[in-house]
């Protein structure tokens, strides 16, 4: 049995504008409504998550993530319309790319030897 792992990254200069980890972070922010909750769900530090959000926000013409001011009911974070579009397009791109290479990967996988036994 083989495993296919395709990682697509879109660069803006030397920065990774979007890639698998950042897409996962965007999805977690959309689900949890805050950067800190998304970071906890991903077992990531808040600082690391915030730095990734900053990179994404400056890499696109419009920010992907918007923070809401705190107050009586607390603040929060949400994806902007652009953030939702970027996440949707990125996921579609990855699915299409995987579909395009699936047959060749299966043929290549037939040539693989048995994987080594895992050490315990």
């Amino acid at each position: 049995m083989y495993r296919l792992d395709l990682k697509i990254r879109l660069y803006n200069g030397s920065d990774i504008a979007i890639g698998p980890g950042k897409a996962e972070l965007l999805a977690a922010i959309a689900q949890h409504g805050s950067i800190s909750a998304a970071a906890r769900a991903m077992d990531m530090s808040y600082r690391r998550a915030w730095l990734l959000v900053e990179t994404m926000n400056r890499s696109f013409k419009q920010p992907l993530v918007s923070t809401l001011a705190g107050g009586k009911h607390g603040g929060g974070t949400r994806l902007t319309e652009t953030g939702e579009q970027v996440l949707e397009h990125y996921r579609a791109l990855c699915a299409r790319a995987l579909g395009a290479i699936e047959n060749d990967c299966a043929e290549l996988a037939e040539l693989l030897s048995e994987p080594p036994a895992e050490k315990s």
Side-chain angles (χ1 to χ4, degrees):
M1 179 84 182
Y2 73 96
R3 180 175 63 94
L4 176 61
D5 188 15
L6 178 67
K7 294 181 182 179
I8 297 175
R9 293 182 179 98
L10 176 66
Y11 286 82
N12 182 15
S14 62
D15 288 334
I16 299 171
I18 188 76
K22 288 179 177 164
E24 185 180 351
L25 179 58
L26 288 178
I29 290 169
Q31 178 182 0
H32 296 284
S34 82
I35 295 172
S36 59
R40 279 192 302 275
M42 295 178 66
D43 198 27
M44 176 188 298
S45 74
Y46 174 80
R47 176 161 171 68
R48 175 76 177 138
W50 179 252
L51 291 173
L52 293 173
V53 166
E54 282 186 325
T55 299
M56 287 187 283
N57 278 348
R58 77 170 171 262
S59 293
F60 290 89
K61 290 180 180 179
Q62 299 292 319
L64 306 190
V65 175
S66 163
T67 55
L68 307 171
K72 189 173 172 182
H73 299 290
T77 307
R78 66 173 186 84
L79 298 189
T80 63
E81 185 177 328
T82 303
E84 291 172 0
Q85 290 174 351
V86 166
L87 183 57
E88 181 181 330
H89 288 301
Y90 179 78
R91 285 176 167 170
L93 170 69
C94 290
R96 279 195 310 275
L98 253 167
I101 64 171
E102 200 169 42
N103 289 339
D104 287 326
C105 287
E107 290 176 16
L108 186 60
E110 289 179 20
L111 302 173
L112 290 172
S113 66
E114 288 295 319
E118 292 189 28
K119 297 178 182 177
S120 40

